[in-house]
Amino acid sequence: MKINQFFILFLVIVCWQEAASQHISTNEYSALRGIPQIIHYNRNDFHADPQFWSVCEGQDGVLYFGNNDGAIIFDGEQWQKVSLPNNSSIRCLAADKSGNIYAGGFNEFGLIKRDLTGQYFYSSIKDSLKFTDPKLENLWQVHILDNLIVYRSFSKLITIAGKKITKLPAGSNFIRSFVIDGQYYVQDQFEGIYKLNKEKLKLELVISSEKLYGEEIIAAFPAEKTKTWLGIGITGKVLEINLETKTSTVLRELFDPHQINRVECALEAKEGTYYVGTISSGIITLNKKGDILNDVDTYNDLQDQSVLNLFQTNQGNIWALLNNGLDCITANSPVRTIFEGASLYDVHIKKNEVYLATNQGVFYSEDVSKVPPKFSKVKGLEGQGWSLQEYEGDILAAHDKGLFEIKKNRITQISNITGVWKVIPIHEKEGYYLVATYGGLFLLSKSADKWMVHNKIEGFDESTRDILESKSPGTYWVCHGYKGVFRIKINDNYTKLISLEHFTTQNGFAFPYSINVFEWNNEIVFTSNQGIYQYKADDNQFIPYKPLNSVLDSTKNTRTLFQHLDKSWFVQDDEAGFFYNSDHTIEKGYFLQFKGAFNRGMECIIPLDSQKVLLGTKTGLYLFDLTYKNSHQQSNTLITSVSYKSDQTDQYLPISPESRIQLPYNTASFSIKFAAPEMQNDADIQYAYKLENIDKKWSSWQLDAHKEYAHLRPGKYTFKVKSRSLLGTVGNTSSLNFEIMPLWYQTKWMMLVYVILGTSLILITIRLVKRKINKENAKTRAEAARDKKLLELELEQLRLQAEKDKINKDKVLLEEDVLYKSKELANYTMMLVKKKDIFSEIRDDILELRRYVKNEISKKKIQNMYKKLNQHAIGEEYMHVFETNFEQVHHDFFTSLKTHYPDLSQRELRLCAFIKMNLTNKEISPLLNISVRGVETARYRLRKKMDLEHDANLTEYLESIDYEKA
């Protein structure tokens, strides 16, 4: 069972910072404490004299400081200054339960008030009380006891109860006053401490001055014993004052006898600690018994060691009023500073010792109980220290220079390897470890109290900072920031690799960059910029891991992930946080102030238990208390000022959440200031706002405590603002209703007039439109009839045009047919001419044959043949038919030709027709009954009559005459 638990514990070690967290036990860190952070304010912030005397807090968390220039008011964001009528300094301030702020200065006392616009002013109450005293001088303190206000000057007390004012003179000088258990006490310099009888308004001596060793008591607090005070004297004496015996005892001296110093103020904090402000040593803290809790230099970060007054706010922070400035000690903050001045990578606590691995080297403190621990640099380990682990009772430091064993502030180098990230145990080889370096892995073991590096694991030379052992013996996952994921398997002797797999984008990852490997809920998971993945061996693929992707934002890179007790810790895109393993509720508000402060890829988050965690950042090491009580308390978000710019002048408006502010139409810009006084110095305060009817969603969180709008349209608006601190405190939502008034012609009455005029205009328009419509309808009907008639005419024209086109088409066809027929007629005629010639030749042959035949019968037979030929001889009738039909077919051509050449004969006209038909001279000669030579002669004469050039084409010319005819 124990072996299984150890195995699970080992698998949780996902990187060097997680390994470091295992080294710390409850006993080892219980004494670890840090100091609160201090926020400085100087005259560049509050723009007034830097010497402060008094302070009080209003019910809304606004702080009022008494200053040489008057009252300096701070709401957490803006500073305002209020001066007294005589411009004297304000030495005392106090707030009552009704929210009134009482102030006192030189010969002046009254109230600091806030008008409806959020501006502060001073109102004297001397005149209303009819008080006059030319010897009043400075009023140094004011206390409020129920309905009684008591001012203290050196010479007298002034009590105010309603409209009644009373002066109580001092025996010598009233040097200090304080309230204990609701009773007012004042110290007379030479007589002792008096108690004020509030009913009789008389002073009653409590303890004489000589019983106080002549000490001026700066402050007195109830002690652990009944009827006993713990008094802090001006010289540093801590007195136990017994009210029954009216005696006092010096418990201790705060200052060295030779030290020139004195106490200026003291404060009892809510947690029971006493804060003592000195003139030259800053702040000293005491417990209930008056014992000093810290070294004198605990608060040496104060900007001035002369502390004139101390004050604790309702929130729990401590304000130090200095001779030169203001400091706020965030005593109520859950963050305590352990170490500052270097970038933290790892922490190890062993018994009462603390070791830090930083970018400047390894630091060591021998006493963790000191506040804060005093660190010194370990000699020889200067430079980059990466991690600290404890194995077999020894502390090993992984360093840029190599691997070292540390014992207190002494070191021993192990081997000569350099660039070591960390050391991890080998589960299957007890007593053996792997050294993860910049360029691969080495085998390490301890023998005879000496650590020894045996060999380098051959076959793998990549950086192994991010390495995790899988559940398979000898198998490790290694993630490289730029090259993806490696799975390596080492042989049994741990001398070399027997397998190496490299996964990039082919196995489920979108990109091979920024991938890390961790163990969560006994599962190995891989984080990336696109979410969290798990490896599936069956498919050899990395698939999204739903249990974590449903909790953490998969669009952000999870660079750190581990479990500790009831929480899972993570860092996503520079934001640290945790979620509870039971219900997965995420908490990041605690750590907003550390956003961007971690070392990317090497975040140092070391939970100490379920309530405390160490955070290592680029600036140092901080202890965070998760029990911070204000983390989920509501705080008020206040709208402190509303103004607008009109005609280049700022005009302030009354702030009224219930009513609606009205702004003139010529408002050029509208400015709203806000604050969260109850959160002040909790940490940086952020605001988000929304202007309804303009903004669809809340703005992003930002530090600016004001918002300005320019040239808003007339209308009603609601401005909403909310706040949060970087320690998780949440402010409520405040709202402001305002209205940009319209111009006179944009008012409601004018709108009514516009409606009436518009309605009338619409009715008139409707009537005119109807009349126009009727007129247009009539016109349209007439136009429609005309258009119909025109359409009919157009249709008729189209019909006629179609008929004409058909006639033309038929004409073309007929002309083509005529041309064809004319050619056919010519061919037929030529055939007949040829036949006639043949008949003539046959007849001549028969006549010649008859002369040679002697036989009568043959002669008779030849004679019959001759008769038959004469009976069927081809006459000249066909020529007549040809000429008649030819002239009819080419009538238009002949007409056009006669028009151009009226002196042409009938035979020449016929020759022109034959030439146009593309007949050859040989084909023309029988048609004209002339020889071929005669045709050539006729053509020559024809050219001459037509006056054609010798090289002119007669056929083309005749065709052109025919085209002219067409």
Side-chain angles (χ1 to χ4, degrees):
M1 183 64 181
K2 290 183 179 179
I3 295 176
N4 292 335
Q5 289 176 347
F6 174 78
F7 179 63
I8 294 174
L9 183 62
F10 165 74
L11 290 178
V12 175
I13 307 174
V14 296
C15 60
W16 57 267
Q17 57 264 60
E18 295 164 48
S21 68
Q22 298 174 25
H23 304 154
I24 303 172
S25 66
T26 302
N27 293 331
E28 290 170 339
Y29 71 78
S30 58
L32 182 64
R33 294 185 297 144
I35 61 173
Q37 295 175 316
I38 300 177
I39 303 173
H40 306 301
Y41 298 94
N42 55 44
R43 64 188 312 155
N44 292 328
D45 299 309
F46 45 75
H47 301 290
D49 189 90
Q51 189 177 49
F52 289 86
W53 301 103
S54 58
V55 58
C56 72
E57 182 179 10
Q59 289 184 326
D60 54 4
V62 176
L63 294 175
Y64 300 78
F65 297 94
N67 182 275
N68 285 339
D69 286 341
I72 308 300
I73 302 162
F74 183 48
D75 61 13
E77 296 294 345
Q78 289 91 29
W79 299 82
Q80 291 191 43
K81 181 167 66 175
V82 174
S83 299
L84 296 185
N86 58 8
N87 290 321
S88 74
S89 61
I90 291 181
R91 301 284 182 165
C92 60
L93 288 164
D96 66 10
K97 296 180 180 179
S98 301
N100 296 315
I101 307 298
Y102 290 87
F106 182 81
N107 197 29
E108 183 64 61
F109 56 89
L111 295 170
I112 296 176
K113 298 181 179 180
R114 188 184 185 199
D115 63 20
L116 295 177
T117 67
Q119 304 304 303
Y120 292 90
F121 65 96
Y122 173 79
S123 175
S124 177
I125 59 176
K126 286 173 57 179
D127 294 339
S128 63
L129 295 174
K130 299 179 181 180
F131 177 84
T132 57
D133 188 344
K135 297 182 180 181
L136 184 59
E137 299 183 345
N138 276 312
L139 297 176
W140 288 95
Q141 287 178 283
V142 59
H143 296 280
I144 299 174
L145 300 90
D146 298 327
N147 296 323
L148 184 65
I149 298 102
V150 182
Y151 283 96
R152 178 189 68 82
S153 71
F154 283 142
S155 60
K156 61 179 69 69
L157 298 180
I158 300 172
T159 64
I160 303 171
K163 295 294 183 180
K164 183 180 179 181
I165 187 167
T166 304
K167 292 187 287 185
L168 302 175
S172 54
N173 287 312
F174 287 135
I175 53 177
R176 291 286 170 175
S177 61
F178 37 86
V179 175
I180 300 176
D181 296 332
Q183 300 296 322
Y184 181 86
Y185 297 90
V186 63
Q187 182 179 10
D188 188 288
Q189 183 176 7
F190 299 115
E191 296 180 3
I193 296 177
Y194 286 89
K195 174 183 176 182
L196 176 64
N197 187 319
K198 293 184 289 185
E199 287 74 22
K200 298 179 180 181
L201 293 181
K202 291 184 178 181
L203 295 175
E204 301 171 351
L205 185 64
V206 175
I207 185 171
S208 63
S209 182
E210 58 269 16
K211 299 296 184 180
L212 298 174
Y213 306 97
E215 189 76 15
E216 178 181 344
I217 304 300
I218 298 298
F221 312 105
E224 293 180 335
K225 299 178 181 179
T226 58
K227 293 186 178 183
T228 303
W229 292 347
L230 188 70
I232 311 296
I234 193 170
T235 63
K237 290 183 175 65
V238 179
L239 305 176
E240 183 182 73
I241 303 173
N242 191 311
L243 300 181
E244 286 187 331
T245 62
K246 299 184 183 300
T247 59
S248 64
T249 305
V250 178
L251 299 179
R252 64 191 47 81
E253 299 276 354
L254 298 180
F255 306 129
D256 187 276
H258 304 291
Q259 184 180 1
I260 301 175
N261 205 345
R262 76 175 196 172
V263 174
E264 285 290 325
C265 56
L267 167 72
E268 181 182 14
K270 295 177 181 179
E271 69 275 12
T273 303
Y274 298 128
Y275 290 80
V276 178
T278 69
I279 195 65
S280 60
S281 300
I283 297 173
I284 302 172
T285 55
L286 310 175
N287 61 15
K288 280 284 189 180
K289 297 179 180 180
D291 300 325
I292 296 177
L293 294 178
N294 58 274
D295 295 337
V296 176
D297 58 353
T298 298
Y299 296 102
N300 59 5
D301 193 33
L302 295 174
Q303 58 183 324
D304 184 11
Q305 293 299 307
S306 181
V307 182
L308 303 183
N309 207 343
L310 291 167
F311 179 78
Q312 186 171 32
T313 65
N314 292 328
Q315 189 186 16
N317 293 328
I318 307 295
W319 281 85
L321 282 63
L322 309 175
N323 189 63
N324 186 23
L326 287 171
D327 279 349
C328 178
I329 303 167
T330 57
N332 191 44
S333 171
V335 184
R336 291 292 186 269
T337 301
I338 304 298
F339 171 83
E340 285 187 317
S343 187
L344 258 292
Y345 294 105
D346 200 4
V347 180
H348 183 80
I349 301 177
K350 182 179 182 180
K351 296 182 180 179
N352 208 35
E353 301 172 351
V354 185
Y355 298 86
L356 308 179
T358 77
N359 67 319
Q360 298 180 15
V362 176
F363 287 82
Y364 166 76
S365 175
E366 63 181 1
D367 189 0
V368 73
S369 64
K370 288 187 177 181
V371 184
K374 304 300 179 184
F375 289 95
S376 60
K377 190 176 292 186
V378 178
K379 188 176 180 180
L381 291 183
E382 297 83 0
Q384 203 80 48
W386 297 121
S387 64
L388 298 161
Q389 290 107 9
E390 183 175 352
Y391 296 117
E392 301 187 27
D394 296 332
I395 299 174
L396 303 182
H399 197 279
D400 181 68
K401 296 179 180 179
L403 183 63
F404 298 85
E405 179 185 352
I406 305 178
K407 292 183 179 180
K408 296 187 181 296
N409 55 3
R410 299 186 305 277
I411 65 170
T412 301
Q413 186 166 8
I414 303 172
S415 183
N416 58 355
I417 59 175
T418 60
V420 177
W421 291 115
K422 60 184 175 182
V423 176
I424 62 173
I426 301 174
H427 176 254
E428 61 179 359
K429 290 176 70 70
E430 185 177 356
Y432 285 86
Y433 306 85
L434 283 179
V435 181
T437 73
Y438 297 176
L441 297 167
F442 291 82
L443 184 64
L444 174 72
S445 69
K446 184 179 181 182
S447 178
D449 293 332
K450 184 178 181 180
W451 291 94
M452 179 181 300
V453 174
H454 297 279
N455 58 271
K456 182 178 181 181
I457 310 300
E458 296 180 1
F460 192 71
D461 298 324
E462 301 291 345
S463 174
T464 52
R465 176 176 61 85
D466 193 7
I467 182 172
L468 178 65
E469 184 178 14
S470 72
K471 296 180 180 180
S472 177
T475 303
Y476 295 84
W477 290 100
V478 180
C479 292
H480 193 285
Y482 303 99
K483 297 182 180 180
V485 178
F486 298 91
R487 183 168 63 174
I488 62 175
K489 185 173 180 58
I490 307 174
N491 63 2
D492 295 338
N493 296 327
Y494 273 76
T495 57
K496 63 180 180 179
L497 263 61
I498 58 176
S499 70
L500 170 63
E501 297 175 89
H502 188 194
F503 303 94
T504 54
T505 57
Q506 292 80 22
N507 303 86
F509 290 118
F511 301 98
Y513 316 117
S514 302
I515 301 174
N516 298 98
V517 59
F518 305 102
E519 168 112 0
W520 189 80
N521 271 0
N522 292 327
E523 298 282 353
I524 295 177
V525 297
F526 301 82
T527 64
S528 71
N529 291 327
Q530 292 76 40
I532 301 175
Y533 291 81
Q534 185 182 30
Y535 178 71
K536 288 297 182 183
D538 296 340
D539 303 324
N540 195 30
Q541 287 287 316
F542 294 87
I543 63 173
Y545 187 61
K546 294 182 179 179
L548 281 175
N549 285 327
S550 62
V551 179
L552 300 175
D553 188 349
S554 60
T555 64
K556 297 180 179 180
N557 185 8
T558 304
R559 294 198 303 269
T560 295
L561 177 66
F562 64 93
Q563 291 173 293
H564 182 270
L565 300 179
D566 61 335
K567 301 177 183 68
S568 290
W569 291 84
F570 62 87
V571 174
Q572 272 197 324
D573 285 357
D574 296 326
E575 287 188 6
F578 64 83
F579 61 86
Y580 291 96
N581 297 326
S582 57
D583 59 6
H584 294 171
T585 301
I586 292 181
E587 179 56 68
K588 295 194 295 184
Y590 290 110
F591 314 106
L592 286 174
Q593 62 177 308
F594 294 107
K595 181 178 180 180
F598 295 99
N599 293 292
R600 182 168 296 185
M602 301 191 70
E603 294 81 2
C604 179
I605 301 178
I606 304 175
L608 304 178
D609 59 17
S610 62
Q611 302 300 340
K612 288 184 174 61
V613 61
L614 286 173
L615 301 177
T617 71
K618 296 176 182 178
T619 59
L621 179 66
Y622 304 93
L623 176 64
F624 209 106
D625 183 5
L626 300 181
T627 62
Y628 179 55
K629 299 186 182 301
N630 288 344
S631 58
H632 296 291
Q633 290 183 356
Q634 281 285 337
S635 177
N636 290 321
T637 306
L638 302 181
I639 295 176
T640 59
S641 175
V642 179
S643 63
Y644 71 94
K645 189 178 290 293
S646 179
D647 299 329
Q648 303 301 317
T649 304
D650 289 331
Q651 304 289 337
Y652 287 91
L653 295 170
I655 303 171
S656 177
E658 294 80 15
S659 61
R660 187 177 297 275
I661 299 173
Q662 293 184 340
L663 300 172
Y665 70 89
N666 60 345
T667 300
S669 63
F670 180 60
S671 179
I672 305 173
K673 294 181 180 180
F674 31 85
E678 293 170 309
M679 281 191 228
Q680 58 180 295
N681 306 309
D682 198 12
D684 287 335
I685 301 171
Q686 295 180 329
Y687 301 92
Y689 45 78
K690 177 174 67 172
L691 185 61
E692 293 185 348
N693 301 329
I694 297 293
D695 301 326
K696 294 183 179 180
K697 59 182 181 180
W698 288 89
S699 70
S700 59
W701 290 102
Q702 54 189 332
L703 296 174
D704 289 339
H706 76 280
K707 176 62 179 174
E708 184 171 334
Y709 294 96
H711 303 293
L712 289 174
R713 294 177 178 271
K716 295 180 179 180
Y717 300 90
T718 299
F719 176 81
K720 293 185 176 180
V721 61
K722 58 184 178 181
S723 59
R724 73 175 184 183
S725 79
L726 297 187
L727 289 178
T729 307
V730 178
N732 61 2
T733 301
S734 291
S735 61
L736 178 73
N737 301 314
F738 66 94
E739 179 180 3
I740 306 293
M741 300 303 293
L743 293 166
W744 64 269
Y745 51 81
Q746 296 174 326
T747 60
K748 293 181 179 179
W749 290 108
M750 286 305 299
M751 292 298 175
L752 180 60
V753 173
Y754 295 152
V755 171
I756 295 173
L757 291 176
T759 304
S760 302
L761 183 61
I762 290 172
L763 293 175
I764 295 172
T765 303
I766 291 174
R767 187 171 181 180
L768 294 175
V769 168
K770 284 184 177 180
R771 184 183 298 176
K772 181 70 173 178
I773 289 173
N774 293 333
K775 186 177 180 181
E776 291 295 328
N777 286 339
K779 183 178 179 181
T780 301
R781 285 193 293 270
E783 290 178 351
R786 186 177 70 251
D787 292 342
K788 182 178 179 182
K789 190 172 182 179
L790 290 174
L791 180 61
E792 291 174 352
L793 292 174
E794 289 179 358
L795 290 174
E796 182 65 20
Q797 281 184 337
L798 291 174
R799 186 181 64 77
L800 293 174
Q801 183 66 37
E803 290 179 356
K804 182 179 179 183
D805 292 341
K806 186 175 183 303
I807 290 171
N808 291 333
K809 184 178 181 180
D810 292 342
K811 182 180 177 182
V812 171
L813 292 174
L814 287 173
E815 288 177 350
E816 291 177 352
D817 186 60
V818 167
L819 181 61
Y820 174 76
K821 293 295 184 182
S822 64
K823 287 186 176 183
E824 190 178 43
L825 178 62
N827 292 332
Y828 181 71
T829 302
M830 286 188 293
M831 183 184 70
L832 290 176
V833 170
K834 290 180 179 180
K835 286 184 177 182
K836 179 181 177 182
D837 293 340
I838 293 172
F839 266 82
S840 296
E841 291 177 2
I842 294 173
R843 187 180 63 182
D844 293 340
D845 290 341
I846 292 175
L847 289 176
E848 187 179 355
L849 180 63
R850 191 177 62 176
R851 286 196 302 268
Y852 293 106
V853 174
K854 302 300 182 182
N855 190 317
E856 288 295 330
I857 295 173
S858 299
K859 287 183 178 181
K860 189 175 182 179
K861 186 68 175 175
I862 292 171
Q863 185 66 34
N864 289 335
M865 290 173 60
Y866 183 78
K867 287 181 180 179
K868 288 180 181 180
L869 285 173
N870 285 335
Q871 290 175 356
H872 296 284
I874 299 173
E876 296 296 328
E877 300 86 6
Y878 70 88
M879 289 302 297
H880 179 72
V881 172
F882 170 76
E883 290 174 358
T884 302
N885 287 287
F886 189 82
E887 288 180 0
Q888 288 179 355
V889 169
H890 297 282
H891 175 74
D892 292 338
F893 173 70
F894 288 147
T895 301
S896 177
L897 194 61
K898 288 177 181 179
T899 301
H900 286 82
Y901 305 102
D903 57 342
L904 292 178
S905 65
Q906 190 67 28
R907 180 179 289 273
E908 289 173 338
L909 292 172
R910 193 179 300 162
L911 175 62
C912 289
F914 290 151
I915 293 172
K916 178 179 176 296
M917 291 171 62
N918 265 334
L919 298 179
T920 64
N921 291 344
K922 188 177 180 180
E923 292 172 333
I924 294 173
S925 64
L927 295 175
L928 296 180
N929 199 20
I930 59 177
S931 64
V932 174
R933 183 68 179 173
V935 173
E936 291 177 353
T937 303
R939 288 175 72 112
Y940 173 76
R941 291 173 181 170
L942 183 62
R943 278 178 171 277
K944 194 171 182 181
K945 280 188 177 184
M946 292 183 175
D947 197 19
L948 293 178
E949 298 292 336
H950 180 267
D951 55 350
N953 191 309
L954 182 60
T955 303
E956 292 179 358
Y957 178 72
L958 293 175
E959 286 180 353
S960 66
I961 292 176
D962 196 28
Y963 289 151
E964 290 178 5
K965 175 263 300 182

